[in-house]
Amino acid sequence: MQAILFDLDGTLTASGPGIIKSVQYTLEQMGCPEPDPQKLRFFIGPPIITALRQYRPFSLAEAKRAAAIYRAYYREHGVFDNQPYPGVTHMLQALRETGLKVGVASSKPENLVHLILEHFDLAQYFDELVGASPDGTRAGKALVIEEALRRLDLADARDQVLMVGDTYNDVNGAKETQLDCWGVSYGYGTKDELRDAGATVIIDDVPTLEEKLLKLAN
């Protein structure tokens, strides 16, 4: 194994509260308020325009307008309504010592990936932080993973790269790019969701994830 790619939301940090509050504000502004936060959990993970159009039959133009509202509100109010999962810092420190390349592959805009990980002093543990591009040309998980592989110079060594994520979006992106994917059930996806999507291993907590990744590295 040469590299580990981590999803961000629901895998490294518990970002749900800030995302869901931002989605609720957006939907209210769009005239379709949703008071039940549990109905909006699936917004955590996929690109915002994709999730909006899955939630309601928004036209592309409406979804883009809603996404602009969401991003402005999230950047100001939601981005730090978030915290690393217990044990994540220790895990990343331990992985850094193995010599493996470690990266983030997130559907979140790349500037926010940097902002969040720098805020929590986690950016130092990664070789690459990859997210969605500002112009929207790199938005889906598979495209983000491909960019991470390119930057890590591992596009021709896919059998040596593992993706770790918490939802079907991560597993599907890994499958599309021919990577193995481990699912973590402490995030925002369910065990059934991860299993049905094809995660090869499902892990319940960060200490167990650390233990298994260190065994893989050695």
Side-chain angles (χ1 to χ4, degrees):
M1 188 60 59
Q2 295 187 45
I4 310 295
L5 296 178
F6 289 95
D7 174 49
L8 177 55
D9 297 328
T11 302
L12 298 175
T13 69
S15 55
I19 292 173
I20 289 174
K21 288 174 187 175
S22 300
V23 172
Q24 285 182 308
Y25 174 82
T26 299
L27 294 175
E28 183 176 346
Q29 295 301 301
M30 295 295 293
C32 47
E34 176 51 72
D36 184 356
Q38 292 302 313
K39 293 181 180 179
L40 303 176
R41 284 173 61 90
F42 76 92
F43 275 87
I44 306 165
I48 183 63
I49 289 179
T50 301
L52 284 163
R53 298 190 79 188
Q54 288 175 344
Y55 178 73
R56 286 183 65 88
F58 288 122
S59 68
L60 181 57
E62 288 172 330
K64 287 182 176 179
R65 181 160 62 89
I69 295 170
Y70 168 85
R71 288 169 182 145
Y73 186 90
Y74 179 75
R75 178 65 183 260
E76 184 173 354
H77 300 285
V79 65
F80 298 134
D81 192 356
N82 188 2
Q83 61 181 344
Y85 287 105
V88 160
T89 300
H90 186 276
M91 175 183 69
L92 295 174
Q93 289 171 336
L95 285 175
R96 203 70 180 134
E97 295 172 2
T98 67
L100 286 174
K101 292 182 178 181
V102 183
V104 167
S106 171
S107 297
K108 187 182 292 297
E110 189 164 306
N111 65 318
L112 295 183
V113 173
H114 281 265
L115 185 67
I116 291 165
L117 292 173
E118 288 165 6
H119 175 79
F120 291 119
D121 201 28
L122 297 178
Q124 62 182 306
Y125 301 115
F126 296 97
D127 296 284
E128 292 290 346
L129 302 177
V130 185
S133 59
D135 63 2
T137 57
R138 185 177 70 246
K141 180 66 73 168
L143 293 175
V144 172
I145 292 173
E146 285 290 354
E147 178 64 11
L149 293 172
R150 185 190 70 78
R151 294 188 197 177
L152 292 168
D153 196 26
L154 289 171
D156 294 326
R158 294 167 192 262
D159 61 336
Q160 294 296 308
V161 182
L162 173 69
M163 180 72 202
V164 179
D166 69 309
T167 70
Y168 73 92
N169 190 52
D170 303 305
V171 183
N172 289 344
K175 288 166 69 174
E176 287 180 46
T177 52
Q178 302 169 12
L179 301 189
D180 188 15
C181 185
W182 290 4
V184 295
S185 60
Y186 59 78
Y188 297 105
T190 65
K191 285 186 177 182
D192 286 345
E193 171 188 330
L194 292 165
R195 190 178 297 111
D196 291 347
T200 55
V201 176
I202 298 175
I203 297 162
D204 293 333
D205 55 67
V206 175
T208 303
L209 177 61
E210 177 184 338
E211 179 185 355
K212 289 183 176 294
L213 289 176
L214 291 177
K215 285 182 180 178
L216 194 67
N218 296 323

